[in-house]
Amino acid sequence: MTKKIRTYSAAFKAEAVKKIADNKGNVSATAKQLGIAMQTLSNWQNKADKGQLIGTKEYDPELMAILEENKRLKRDLKVAQEERDILNEEG
């Protein structure tokens, strides 16, 4: 039996995080009200706190652009290192 993965819109995630404050910071109660896993909501809250959740006042598009560029550069570096290692083995 396969488990169905639920996806949520950015707006839903942002509203869910805002509801935590309405419940006096109670993540568990908020998750139950929304019918989602507590860990899922907690992850969204952590992202919001870091400025990485779209739709929240803490969201920082510049930070997200830097994080994406960092990921890309790490991938490029890994490829370059693998190519270097292959060339060193041959020569």
Side-chain angles (χ1 to χ4, degrees), residues 1 16 20-21 25 30 39 45 61 65-66 71 75 77 79 89:
M1 186 169 156
I20 295 171
T30 306
Q39 186 60 50
Q45 182 181 29
I66 290 169
K71 273 193 227 178
R75 280 192 307 266
L77 176 61
V79 169
E89 290 174 5

Side-chain angles (χ1 to χ4, degrees), residues 31-70:
K32 284 180 185 177
Q33 286 176 351
L34 298 172
I36 60 175
M38 188 178 92
Q39 186 60 50
T40 299
L41 184 56
S42 180
N43 290 342
W44 295 346
Q45 182 181 29
N46 290 338
K47 279 188 165 187
D49 292 344
K50 295 178 189 173
Q52 298 174 348
L53 187 65
I54 295 172
T56 58
K57 63 183 176 192
E58 297 88 358
Y59 178 69
D60 185 353
E62 290 179 21
L63 172 64
M64 294 308 295
I66 290 169
L67 292 173
E68 287 299 318
E69 181 182 18
N70 191 28

